[in-house]
mmCIF file of all heavy atoms in Angstrom:
data_model
loop_
_atom_site.group_PDB
_atom_site.id
_atom_site.type_symbol
_atom_site.label_atom_id
_atom_site.label_comp_id
_atom_site.label_asym_id
_atom_site.label_seq_id
_atom_site.Cartn_x
_atom_site.Cartn_y
_atom_site.Cartn_z
ATOM 1 N N GLN A 1387 2.945 16.130 2.352
ATOM 2 C CA GLN A 1387 4.340 15.838 2.089
ATOM 3 C C GLN A 1387 4.766 14.449 2.538
ATOM 4 O O GLN A 1387 5.928 14.083 2.442
ATOM 5 C CB GLN A 1387 5.231 16.883 2.786
ATOM 6 C CG GLN A 1387 4.936 18.318 2.381
ATOM 7 C CD GLN A 1387 5.099 18.523 0.894
ATOM 8 O OE1 GLN A 1387 6.093 18.098 0.296
ATOM 9 N NE2 GLN A 1387 4.131 19.204 0.272
ATOM 10 N N GLU A 1431 -8.366 -5.752 -6.479
ATOM 11 C CA GLU A 1431 -8.982 -6.357 -7.645
ATOM 12 C C GLU A 1431 -9.082 -5.354 -8.794
ATOM 13 O O GLU A 1431 -8.808 -5.670 -9.953
ATOM 14 C CB GLU A 1431 -10.379 -6.893 -7.292
ATOM 15 C CG GLU A 1431 -10.370 -8.122 -6.406
ATOM 16 C CD GLU A 1431 -9.779 -9.332 -7.091
ATOM 17 O OE1 GLU A 1431 -10.043 -9.521 -8.297
ATOM 18 O OE2 GLU A 1431 -9.043 -10.092 -6.419
ATOM 19 N N LYS A 1434 -5.513 -4.618 -10.151
ATOM 20 C CA LYS A 1434 -4.977 -5.730 -10.917
ATOM 21 C C LYS A 1434 -5.492 -5.720 -12.355
ATOM 22 O O LYS A 1434 -4.789 -6.069 -13.302
ATOM 23 C CB LYS A 1434 -5.338 -7.047 -10.242
ATOM 24 C CG LYS A 1434 -4.518 -7.371 -9.010
ATOM 25 C CD LYS A 1434 -4.954 -8.685 -8.384
ATOM 26 C CE LYS A 1434 -4.144 -8.998 -7.144
ATOM 27 N NZ LYS A 1434 -4.600 -10.253 -6.493
ATOM 28 N N GLN A 1465 -1.797 7.116 27.113
ATOM 29 C CA GLN A 1465 -2.389 5.809 26.831
ATOM 30 C C GLN A 1465 -1.904 5.198 25.499
ATOM 31 O O GLN A 1465 -2.437 4.195 25.052
ATOM 32 C CB GLN A 1465 -3.927 5.935 26.787
ATOM 33 C CG GLN A 1465 -4.542 6.333 28.113
ATOM 34 C CD GLN A 1465 -4.267 5.295 29.194
ATOM 35 O OE1 GLN A 1465 -4.511 4.109 28.999
ATOM 36 N NE2 GLN A 1465 -3.748 5.746 30.331
ATOM 37 N N SER A 1506 -30.473 -1.460 4.001
ATOM 38 C CA SER A 1506 -30.105 -2.626 3.191
ATOM 39 C C SER A 1506 -30.142 -2.287 1.718
ATOM 40 O O SER A 1506 -30.687 -1.264 1.306
ATOM 41 C CB SER A 1506 -31.079 -3.782 3.463
ATOM 42 O OG SER A 1506 -32.382 -3.431 3.057
ATOM 43 N N ILE A 1537 -30.135 20.981 15.729
ATOM 44 C CA ILE A 1537 -29.214 22.025 15.292
ATOM 45 C C ILE A 1537 -29.992 23.080 14.496
ATOM 46 O O ILE A 1537 -30.866 22.725 13.705
ATOM 47 C CB ILE A 1537 -28.087 21.459 14.407
ATOM 48 C CG1 ILE A 1537 -27.392 20.290 15.098
ATOM 49 C CG2 ILE A 1537 -27.063 22.537 14.076
ATOM 50 C CD1 ILE A 1537 -26.347 19.608 14.244
ATOM 51 N N GLU A 1546 -33.518 27.452 0.267
ATOM 52 C CA GLU A 1546 -34.919 27.052 0.340
ATOM 53 C C GLU A 1546 -35.046 25.561 0.064
ATOM 54 O O GLU A 1546 -34.670 25.090 -1.010
ATOM 55 C CB GLU A 1546 -35.754 27.847 -0.666
ATOM 56 C CG GLU A 1546 -37.256 27.661 -0.489
ATOM 57 C CD GLU A 1546 -37.749 28.177 0.854
ATOM 58 O OE1 GLU A 1546 -37.220 29.178 1.369
ATOM 59 O OE2 GLU A 1546 -38.701 27.549 1.385
ATOM 60 N N LEU A 1558 -32.774 10.672 4.409
ATOM 61 C CA LEU A 1558 -33.111 11.534 3.285
ATOM 62 C C LEU A 1558 -32.443 11.017 2.005
ATOM 63 O O LEU A 1558 -31.214 10.855 1.949
ATOM 64 C CB LEU A 1558 -32.635 12.959 3.563
ATOM 65 C CG LEU A 1558 -32.899 13.992 2.473
ATOM 66 C CD1 LEU A 1558 -34.400 14.204 2.247
ATOM 67 C CD2 LEU A 1558 -32.228 15.326 2.819
ATOM 68 N N TRP A 1586 -36.725 18.449 9.420
ATOM 69 C CA TRP A 1586 -36.496 19.863 9.647
ATOM 70 C C TRP A 1586 -37.807 20.640 9.585
ATOM 71 O O TRP A 1586 -38.802 20.181 9.037
ATOM 72 C CB TRP A 1586 -35.502 20.429 8.627
ATOM 73 C CG TRP A 1586 -35.995 20.377 7.211
ATOM 74 C CD1 TRP A 1586 -36.804 21.275 6.556
ATOM 75 C CD2 TRP A 1586 -35.723 19.365 6.235
ATOM 76 N NE1 TRP A 1586 -37.036 20.901 5.276
ATOM 77 C CE2 TRP A 1586 -36.383 19.732 5.037
ATOM 78 C CE3 TRP A 1586 -34.963 18.182 6.285
ATOM 79 C CZ2 TRP A 1586 -36.326 18.940 3.892
ATOM 80 C CZ3 TRP A 1586 -34.914 17.411 5.139
ATOM 81 C CH2 TRP A 1586 -35.583 17.774 3.960
ATOM 82 N N ASN A 1592 -34.677 30.844 10.547
ATOM 83 C CA ASN A 1592 -33.817 29.694 10.803
ATOM 84 C C ASN A 1592 -34.494 28.390 10.381
ATOM 85 O O ASN A 1592 -35.723 28.291 10.349
ATOM 86 C CB ASN A 1592 -33.472 29.598 12.296
ATOM 87 C CG ASN A 1592 -32.631 30.751 12.771
ATOM 88 O OD1 ASN A 1592 -31.613 31.079 12.185
ATOM 89 N ND2 ASN A 1592 -33.061 31.386 13.863
ATOM 90 N N VAL A 1597 -31.434 15.511 13.977
ATOM 91 C CA VAL A 1597 -30.519 14.565 13.350
ATOM 92 C C VAL A 1597 -30.429 13.315 14.213
ATOM 93 O O VAL A 1597 -30.205 13.414 15.432
ATOM 94 C CB VAL A 1597 -29.104 15.176 13.186
ATOM 95 C CG1 VAL A 1597 -28.197 14.221 12.411
ATOM 96 C CG2 VAL A 1597 -29.182 16.537 12.502
ATOM 97 N N ASP A 1620 -18.710 -12.855 19.114
ATOM 98 C CA ASP A 1620 -17.389 -12.722 18.511
ATOM 99 C C ASP A 1620 -17.480 -11.982 17.191
ATOM 100 O O ASP A 1620 -18.557 -11.619 16.736
ATOM 101 C CB ASP A 1620 -16.714 -14.095 18.363
ATOM 102 C CG ASP A 1620 -17.429 -15.019 17.375
ATOM 103 O OD1 ASP A 1620 -18.184 -14.531 16.504
ATOM 104 O OD2 ASP A 1620 -17.241 -16.244 17.476
ATOM 105 N N TYR A 1621 -16.335 -11.757 16.560
ATOM 106 C CA TYR A 1621 -16.310 -10.929 15.349
ATOM 107 C C TYR A 1621 -17.124 -11.512 14.199
ATOM 108 O O TYR A 1621 -17.729 -10.779 13.423
ATOM 109 C CB TYR A 1621 -14.873 -10.660 14.895
ATOM 110 C CG TYR A 1621 -14.111 -11.863 14.419
ATOM 111 C CD1 TYR A 1621 -14.175 -12.269 13.082
ATOM 112 C CD2 TYR A 1621 -13.298 -12.594 15.281
ATOM 113 C CE1 TYR A 1621 -13.478 -13.366 12.627
ATOM 114 C CE2 TYR A 1621 -12.588 -13.690 14.824
ATOM 115 C CZ TYR A 1621 -12.686 -14.082 13.507
ATOM 116 O OH TYR A 1621 -11.987 -15.172 13.048
ATOM 117 N N GLU A 1623 -19.883 -13.384 14.513
ATOM 118 C CA GLU A 1623 -21.294 -13.159 14.819
ATOM 119 C C GLU A 1623 -21.667 -11.698 14.612
ATOM 120 O O GLU A 1623 -22.771 -11.385 14.154
ATOM 121 C CB GLU A 1623 -21.572 -13.580 16.267
ATOM 122 C CG GLU A 1623 -21.447 -15.083 16.493
ATOM 123 C CD GLU A 1623 -21.526 -15.453 17.951
ATOM 124 O OE1 GLU A 1623 -20.763 -14.894 18.768
ATOM 125 O OE2 GLU A 1623 -22.354 -16.326 18.300
ATOM 126 N N THR A 1627 -24.341 -10.259 11.703
ATOM 127 C CA THR A 1627 -25.524 -9.498 12.107
ATOM 128 C C THR A 1627 -25.858 -8.424 11.070
ATOM 129 O O THR A 1627 -27.035 -8.118 10.851
ATOM 130 C CB THR A 1627 -25.283 -8.818 13.477
ATOM 131 O OG1 THR A 1627 -25.045 -9.825 14.461
ATOM 132 C CG2 THR A 1627 -26.479 -7.964 13.895
ATOM 133 N N GLN A 1635 -12.864 -15.398 3.884
ATOM 134 C CA GLN A 1635 -11.728 -15.897 3.106
ATOM 135 C C GLN A 1635 -10.432 -15.327 3.648
ATOM 136 O O GLN A 1635 -10.446 -14.402 4.487
ATOM 137 C CB GLN A 1635 -11.873 -15.483 1.645
ATOM 138 C CG GLN A 1635 -13.150 -15.942 0.981
ATOM 139 C CD GLN A 1635 -13.092 -17.396 0.542
ATOM 140 O OE1 GLN A 1635 -12.140 -18.117 0.845
ATOM 141 N NE2 GLN A 1635 -14.109 -17.842 -0.188
ATOM 142 N N VAL A 1637 -6.460 -13.910 2.415
ATOM 143 C CA VAL A 1637 -5.594 -13.485 1.313
ATOM 144 C C VAL A 1637 -4.512 -14.545 1.127
ATOM 145 O O VAL A 1637 -3.874 -14.980 2.102
ATOM 146 C CB VAL A 1637 -4.949 -12.125 1.607
ATOM 147 C CG1 VAL A 1637 -3.973 -11.742 0.483
ATOM 148 C CG2 VAL A 1637 -6.001 -11.050 1.788
#
Side-chain angles (χ1 to χ4, degrees):
Q1387 303 302 313
E1431 289 294 321
K1434 284 179 181 178
Q1465 295 299 308
S1506 64
I1537 308 175
E1546 190 63 35
L1558 179 64
W1586 64 84
N1592 295 309
V1597 185
D1620 65 22
Y1621 67 87
E1623 293 171 307
T1627 299
Q1635 303 280 7
V1637 177

